[in-house]
């Protein structure tokens, strides 16, 4: 995907991942996943992130719950970006995404469709929505998780 995407393409990417998210489902084999629930007091967002690691590699990541268009689509894109990555590679992607959101230098090439959120900083109220899934994945990768 070209890095320079216009407003219409950004909107289309966000709406496609909101209307038909590829990774929004509770895993059938939940015992193989660690998970964490993330919610927001400022939006409807209430999602659970599920992470499965195999031999130091993210073999699967999913999410389930209720979320606005921004949180659902950004979390869905995040899942696609980190599958098959090591923990270190995932942290690099997360760091670059958060740098983009907070208007710091970042590597566009690492973010692919997540570049659709590059103007989120213009709507401060949407920053929490755009980062809720990413913050949940960071917690899971750092060893935080919900107890069953």
């Amino acid at each position: 995907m070209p890095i320079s995407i216009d407003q219409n393409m950004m909107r289309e990417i966000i709406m496609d991942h909101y209307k038909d998210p590829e990774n929004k489902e509770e895993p059938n084999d939940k015992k193989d996943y660690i998970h964490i629930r993330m919610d927001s007091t400022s939006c409807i967002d209430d999602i659970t992130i599920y992470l499965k690691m195999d031999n130091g590699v993210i073999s699967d990541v999913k999410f389930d719950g209720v979320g606005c268009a921004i949180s659902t689509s950004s979390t869905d894109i995040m899942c696609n970006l980190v599958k098959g990555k090591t923990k270190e590679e995932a942290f690099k992607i997360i760091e670059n995404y958060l740098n983009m959101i907070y208007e710091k230098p970042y590597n566009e090439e690492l973010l692919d469709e997540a570049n659709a959120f590059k103007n989120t900083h213009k709507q401060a109220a949407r920053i929490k929505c755009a980062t809720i899934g990413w913050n949940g994945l960071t917690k899971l990768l750092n060893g935080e998780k919900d107890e069953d």
Side-chain angles (χ1 to χ4, degrees):
M1 178 178 74
I3 298 300
S4 57
I5 54 178
D6 64 24
Q7 290 290 336
N8 289 332
M9 186 177 280
M10 285 190 260
R11 192 175 304 109
E12 188 176 313
I13 289 167
I14 291 168
M15 291 313 295
D16 283 350
H17 283 276
Y18 173 62
K19 291 178 181 175
D20 190 23
E22 301 167 42
N23 304 290
K24 187 174 187 266
E25 63 180 333
E26 188 175 279
N28 291 331
D29 50 348
K30 280 178 43 176
K31 65 177 177 36
D32 295 334
Y33 291 75
I34 58 172
H35 60 87
I36 193 162
R37 181 175 171 229
M38 302 291 291
D39 63 349
S40 172
T41 57
S42 59
C43 192
I44 64 166
D45 302 332
D46 187 355
I47 60 174
T48 300
I49 312 293
Y50 298 93
L51 174 66
K52 182 178 180 183
M53 300 283 296
D54 288 312
N55 299 317
V57 174
I58 297 171
S59 58
D60 199 16
V61 60
K62 302 176 181 298
F63 69 102
D64 199 20
V66 177
C68 69
I70 299 299
S71 67
T72 299
S73 57
S74 69
T75 303
D76 193 51
I77 291 169
M78 173 199 74
C79 293
N80 288 339
L81 286 174
V82 300
K83 283 182 190 173
K85 302 287 193 269
T86 64
K87 186 188 276 193
E88 293 75 24
E89 290 169 325
F91 277 132
K92 187 156 190 73
I93 292 168
I94 293 166
E95 175 187 22
N96 277 273
Y97 178 80
L98 295 175
N99 283 349
M100 177 188 69
I101 295 295
Y102 293 109
E103 299 183 272
K104 297 177 183 176
Y106 68 98
N107 182 346
E108 292 178 329
E109 292 177 14
L110 287 177
L111 300 182
D112 195 37
E113 287 187 315
N115 283 294
F117 298 93
K118 68 181 178 182
N119 293 325
T120 302
H121 67 273
K122 294 178 181 179
Q123 296 177 310
R126 304 305 276 171
I127 290 175
K128 175 120 184 181
C129 304
T131 59
I132 193 166
W134 298 78
N135 290 332
L137 179 60
T138 299
K139 288 180 177 194
L140 288 172
L141 291 170
N142 281 324
E144 292 180 54
K145 61 182 180 177
D146 291 341
E147 300 301 322
D148 289 323

